[in-house]
Amino acid sequence: MTAPLDMTLDAGLLARDAWLERASRRWGSLAHGAALLFVVMLYSNPQFWWPSLERLRLAFVSAGLCAGAVVVHRLVSGERLRLGGWAAAPLWAYLAFIPASLAWTVSASDTRFSLGEAWKMAVVFVAVQNVLDGRPRLRRFLLVGALASLGPALGSIEVWRTGDALVDGFRSHWRGAYADPNRLSMALVAVLPFALYGAVSARRRWARALFWAVSTAQLAAVVLTHSRSGSIAAGVATLLFLGRGRGGLRRAAVAAVAITIGLAIAAPETFWQRSATLGNLEEDESVQGRENAWKVLGVIVDERPLTGVGAGAFIQAWGHFAPLEAGARRYIAHNVLLEIVGELGVVAFALFCAFCGWVLLRLWGVGADPLVGVEARAIFAALAGYLVTEMANGYSLSWFLYFLFACAVAVIRTARLRATLSREAT
């Protein structure tokens, strides 16, 4: 009697394990698909083609779907939910300053809004890094992100061609958040190295040609936004990616020559005129606005060095902290590091810098990995380029920044796991 009962129990356990394995695969695939949908929605903005979709907030919904599928996948599979490891502790400590700042903020409503945004960033950071649990999924995410950027890239080129409500009379833009030329250039810089990665790593000739075309469209759109920081960052990101690996210096030199020739032939005269103002910043209106914002930051740091004025409250704090020479017109901080210092204090600033420094150093090292080195180099170039744009703009709670953080943590973990398995095998 005992043997048949044991066999029945064993069969039941085997069936249960098989069901859990199938369910784990299904939820894992759903999470990966939702992550791809998230990056597509983030760039394509379909609600601006079909206004009826605006209420659906598709990018946010797809991020939430991804996060939910990740949680269920972890519950079914029994695996731990990855938060980035101990190395991500500075980032989580920095994010903790945002709800804490409700205790001292000068604008509770703005800080509550920033708290909601910070929650979204945390969801994206956790969900995307859990989804990209291997090289194939990481590669797919990078390439889909590059292709999705064709929407705003080609859209802004068309806006320039038609002269449709150009900003300041000469700066191209697109729709939604990308109606701001600076934000558009930042978003394109974030995935420019991904397109270059596809161009150098694709096996088929047509695929390589496609991704070279994507990167060309991205660069053209950045130029047409006339964003000086975006143009500099695009050049930095391109050279950082192409300059490493076999034949890297030759590729970087060829790319530099090609970009220079392309700019000389195709860049509009207004691009050169705006770029020339870098040599005479005293008379540049946008630089003067930044200087006024930094004067306000100086007062804030003097009076509130450890706390700042509260997350998202910098604009509202202008009236109280602005010296007379800063004027009455209010500006954002225009620098991500100064924004953090002014809103959350020097401790939060140090935590954010510590995490960014760790990520960049580890990515640089992983760039030599024989398995995922090329992906690590693409993510390093994208993150470095994006941070360059942040030095002149300043959006600390950015979807693009946090999905780049997630990609970085994922590729670092993949390289570490591969190295561990290699050591155990020997």
Side-chain angles (χ1 to χ4, degrees), residues 2 6 36 45-46 54 68 83 129 175 188 202 225 235-236 240 248 252 270 331 371-372 385 396 402-403 413:
T2 314
D6 290 341
L36 297 180
N45 281 335
E54 187 170 359
L83 302 178
Q129 67 169 287
R175 299 168 179 267
L188 294 175
T225 65
V236 168
L240 281 175
T270 47
Y331 297 88
L371 178 65
V372 292
S396 57
Y402 279 83
F403 84 61
R413 181 186 179 278

Side-chain angles (χ1 to χ4, degrees), residues 14-363:
L14 289 173
R16 174 181 175 275
D17 290 342
W19 180 87
L20 288 174
E21 184 178 352
R22 290 194 301 272
S24 175
R25 286 198 302 269
R26 286 195 297 268
W27 283 105
S29 297
L30 176 61
H32 180 55
L36 297 180
L37 181 63
F38 162 71
V39 76
V40 170
M41 293 298 104
L42 187 61
Y43 277 95
S44 64
N45 281 335
Q47 65 270 26
F48 297 107
W49 297 106
W50 299 283
S52 59
L53 298 178
E54 187 170 359
R55 296 180 181 178
L56 299 180
R57 305 184 67 185
L58 294 174
F60 181 67
V61 168
S62 55
L65 177 61
C66 177
V70 163
V71 171
V72 176
H73 169 65
R74 295 303 179 195
L75 290 173
V76 171
S77 65
E79 300 178 34
R80 291 186 300 110
L81 186 68
R82 304 187 190 106
L83 302 178
W86 285 106
L91 180 65
W92 289 111
Y94 154 71
L95 289 173
F97 268 80
I98 294 174
S101 70
L102 282 168
W104 61 76
T105 182
V106 301
S107 177
S109 60
D110 288 311
T111 299
R112 282 194 292 269
F113 177 80
S114 291
L115 177 56
E117 293 300 299
W119 171 248
K120 297 175 190 176
M121 300 308 112
V123 168
V124 168
F125 177 65
V126 173
V128 172
Q129 67 169 287
N130 277 271
V131 165
L132 306 183
D133 54 0
R135 190 188 183 202
R137 288 187 170 183
L138 179 63
R139 175 180 173 81
R140 199 172 295 122
F141 186 86
L142 302 186
L143 297 182
V144 168
L147 291 173
S149 72
L150 273 177
L154 295 178
S156 64
I157 292 172
E158 178 64 13
V159 166
W160 169 264
R161 190 188 68 81
T162 60
D164 181 17
L166 296 175
V167 176
D168 297 329
F170 59 89
R171 304 185 67 186
S172 191
H173 57 88
W174 198 47
R175 299 168 179 267
Y178 305 130
D180 180 342
N182 290 327
R183 284 181 176 265
L184 172 59
S185 66
M186 292 174 71
L188 294 175
V189 167
V191 290
L192 170 60
F194 297 173
L196 295 172
Y197 160 72
V200 302
S201 66
R203 294 181 181 179
R204 293 180 174 83
R205 185 175 299 176
W206 67 265
R208 293 196 299 271
L210 171 63
F211 283 105
W212 280 121
V214 172
S215 61
T216 301
Q218 292 168 335
L219 287 168
V222 170
V223 168
L224 294 178
T225 65
H226 294 71
S227 170
R228 290 165 296 193
S229 62
S231 298
I232 293 170
V236 168
T238 299
L239 296 179
L240 281 175
F241 176 70
L242 295 179
R244 290 192 72 190
R246 183 180 300 177
L249 292 178
R250 184 176 67 254
R251 283 202 308 264
V254 171
V257 171
I259 291 173
T260 302
I261 294 174
L263 288 174
I265 295 174
E269 184 179 354
T270 47
F271 171 80
W272 299 110
Q273 291 172 348
R274 182 170 169 82
S275 298
T277 59
L278 289 171
N280 188 20
L281 297 179
E282 292 81 4
E283 299 181 4
D284 188 280
E285 183 178 349
S286 65
V287 172
Q288 291 173 2
R290 286 173 168 84
E291 289 179 348
N292 290 336
W294 298 339
K295 290 173 184 176
V296 177
L297 281 166
V299 177
I300 292 173
V301 172
D302 285 340
E303 296 189 15
R304 295 187 171 200
L306 298 179
T307 63
V309 296
F314 179 75
I315 294 293
Q316 293 301 321
W318 191 283
H320 178 74
F321 293 94
L324 290 177
E325 60 269 23
R329 184 176 178 181
R330 305 183 180 203
Y331 297 88
I332 63 171
H334 283 295
N335 180 294
V336 68
L337 301 181
L338 296 180
E339 176 188 289
I340 292 171
V341 170
E343 293 187 351
L344 298 174
V346 295
V347 176
F349 163 82
L351 291 167
F352 182 83
C353 289
F355 178 74
C356 289
W358 173 81
V359 164
L360 290 171
L361 285 173
R362 289 290 290 126
L363 281 174

